[in-house]
Amino acid sequence: MSKPYVVGIDIGGTNTVFGLVDARGHVVASDSIKTQKHVNFDEYIADLHEGLSRLIKAKDAEDLIQGIGIGAPNANYYTGEIQNCVNLPWGPIVPLAEKVSKAFNGIPVAITNDANAAALGEMTYGAARGMKDFIMITLGTGVGSGIVINGQLVYGSDGFAGELGHVIMKRNNGRVCGCGRTGCLEAYCSATGVARSAREFLEVRTEPSLLRNLHIEDITSKDVYDAAMAGDQLAKDIFKYTGEILGEAFADMVAFSSPQAIILFGGLAKSGDLLLKPLKETFEKSLMPIFRGKTQIILSELKESDAAVLGASALGWEARYRYEAPHLEKLEDSKQ
Amino acid sequence: MSKPYVVGIDIGGTNTVFGLVDARGHVVASDSIKTQKHVNFDEYIADLHEGLSRLIKAKDAEDLIQGIGIGAPNANYYTGEIQNCVNLPWGPIVPLAEKVSKAFNGIPVAITNDANAAALGEMTYGAARGMKDFIMITLGTGVGSGIVINGQLVYGSDGFAGELGHVIMKRNNGRVCGCGRTGCLEAYCSATGVARSAREFLEVRTEPSLLRNLHIEDITSKDVYDAAMAGDQLAKDIFKYTGEILGEAFADMVAFSSPQAIILFGGLAKSGDLLLKPLKETFEKSLMPIFRGKTQIILSELKESDAAVLGASALGWEARYRYEAPHLEKLEDSKQ
């Protein structure tokens, strides 16, 4: 019989947020610690253990935790490790699942990246309930993705499948991307991509724009949004440009897995029709005829403040990895 | 207990090939009929039934058939129908699984498109045995694909997932594709795509080439291959161009599902290093760094003459749809 709670932990570059979640997707308690406070990973784990234990104790939930799910950058579902993550200070290979399960006396732990966690959260508690085939696209600082096929998250042969922010949208003269290549979707359609588009548009075009009142290097996607909402045509055109590239990218994704829906999450996804109207128009026009009119483009139904913890927690329900003390195993071996 | 044989049927625009296949993937008997001989679908089924029954009887296998798998263009796995296929004469919706199961007294039938069948064949009998995540790419008149994730063929929400021949490789000024759009992979990297490249290269470039001895409209991919093998530089460059586009397309596919292998099948796949060398070089270079050195590009291990029947037959082992005479169902209903 499954226990009534799971723990969700979202490890970001700045904060680590964690919460206790019930089966209906309510975050019954949550807290956070600073991710980068400890360069030593064991000290970070001790800090996390202390904060989370306090939370669990306050809810009298010590024996009521089914599992712990963790969303973290470059987290490998298969190995339980964070691998080669440049935004975290703990070295190239971090045995995250093992250390967390050990700290909590063997509670099962599962880890994956944040976009995959978001997809699981949406499937378990949000807009994708009941869907077996959908794609989650997170439009934040970068563009992330979590792909669900036949009701299962797609991890691929190495645990890193679902990097749809890094399909190539401009094969010639594309923008440099953080991944080291050029022309990736993320270089155009993330919050930073929108800011880059603003700089490009302001340089190439000559018309007046509210954005010209700002220092060009400081412009953010939020500035572009505010200007567009104030009626600024150049700012609106930047959203149109962004939406059209997303629409074209989504059409290629449908040729791959023909999902029931593509679900948008993250700051940029809240731009409303500024983004969604050109996105949906270009999407339908770009689809192979056989797929037209089938795939919905919808917004996440998870509250943004809860989403990261909820997504991670969804993984906790089916967590399987469980730390077992090595000498106990040896004792059992010797009994056989 | 499963029975020792399955039947594989491959319905092509010209011929319908069918065979009796054992569990080790041997085609123990096969034959064919002309697909377009009958404009009436029931007459086509009667013809197919007659030919296949003769085959089964000759092997004394009447009661030894586990299921029938069928590969056909636009075949929908979920509905058992061929839907809106312009290359077959039987109308917009053809209830293929029902009619075949009915003709064979309720033997279970499953259908899918030919590229999906090829992927299943490869997984059951060929180069993908033991693989849980791979992509089959068929390089024939068109470019088809069958995607396997977590050991399951990807059908998508509508049964038509896996149209990777129709991802867009040229977003501006792309070639017109048979699907009605422009710039699709298939317009460049199929046999007809190679022939189109030859015409383009011959018009744009001025150097001598063996291909200039041929009537430009009649050049086939085979002509380009023969010229390249004879040392013709322009013909070699056409294969390089084709391989590079495939390599770039494959890199985007890896960002989606991170497969263990991409398996090539079909006439063009037999072009050897002419195609594979530029393909593999461009593929590795185009991959997101996290995926480099992980995904193999390999050739199908199925004999081409058997592959279509073997692929279709692989679906027969797990066929579930079974025709039941309506009045029998009613009798059972009335008993309740």
Side-chain angles (χ1 to χ4, degrees), chain B residues 68-273:
Chain B
I68 298 175
I70 309 177
N74 288 41
N76 188 325
Y77 176 78
Y78 295 130
T79 66
E81 298 163 340
I82 297 177
Q83 295 175 338
N84 305 311
C85 181
V86 292
N87 298 321
L88 297 174
W90 307 309
I93 302 287
V94 181
L96 179 63
E98 177 191 333
K99 296 282 187 172
V100 172
S101 182
K102 186 176 181 182
F104 287 90
N105 298 317
I107 290 181
V109 173
I111 77 174
T112 192
N113 71 44
D114 47 355
N116 284 345
L120 282 173
E122 211 67 39
M123 185 162 61
T124 312
Y125 311 115
R129 270 173 299 183
M131 287 190 193
K132 293 184 70 179
D133 295 279
F134 71 95
I135 297 175
M136 185 87 192
I137 299 286
T138 62
L139 301 171
T141 315
V143 174
S145 67
I147 303 163
V148 171
I149 287 177
N150 287 336
Q152 300 171 314
L153 202 66
V154 175
Y155 294 109
S157 62
D158 62 347
F160 291 115
E163 285 290 355
L164 297 181
H166 298 275
V167 295
I168 305 299
M169 296 308 293
K170 301 273 174 189
R171 297 204 176 270
N172 298 301
N173 249 325
R175 290 182 191 164
V176 171
C177 179
C179 76
R181 301 175 307 156
T182 58
C184 294
L185 180 62
E186 170 167 302
Y188 295 86
C189 299
S190 57
T192 47
V194 167
R196 287 170 84 172
S197 296
R199 290 192 276 281
E200 255 182 41
F201 275 55
L202 287 169
E203 277 172 14
V204 172
R205 290 167 57 155
T206 54
E207 74 216 75
S209 163
L210 293 171
L211 294 171
R212 294 194 194 279
N213 301 332
L214 304 170
H215 185 56
I216 193 165
E217 289 303 320
D218 296 337
I219 292 174
T220 65
S221 61
K222 177 69 165 56
D223 295 328
V224 182
Y225 176 77
D226 290 343
M229 290 307 281
D232 190 84
Q233 189 58 46
L234 188 138
K236 286 183 190 172
D237 288 353
I238 293 168
F239 275 99
K240 182 163 179 281
Y241 176 74
T242 309
E244 286 172 354
I245 296 176
L246 279 172
E248 291 186 10
F250 288 3
D252 278 350
M253 296 175 197
V254 170
F256 198 104
S257 71
S258 189
Q260 185 176 347
I262 295 174
I263 303 177
L264 304 179
F265 178 80
L268 262 191
K270 292 182 293 187
S271 310
D273 276 349

Side-chain angles (χ1 to χ4, degrees), chain A residues 164-176:
Chain A
L164 296 181
H166 297 275
V167 296
I168 305 300
M169 297 308 292
K170 301 272 174 190
R171 298 204 176 269
N172 299 302
N173 250 324
R175 290 183 191 164
V176 171

Side-chain angles (χ1 to χ4, degrees), chain A residues 7-19 31-33 35 44 48 69-73 112-115 117-118 306-313:
Chain A
V7 167
I9 303 174
D10 178 63
I11 303 180
T14 309
N15 294 308
T16 295
V17 189
F18 45 86
D31 202 350
S32 69
I33 59 171
T35 303
Y44 166 79
L48 177 65
I70 309 177
T112 191
N113 71 44
D114 47 354
D306 284 348
V309 163
L310 274 180
S313 81

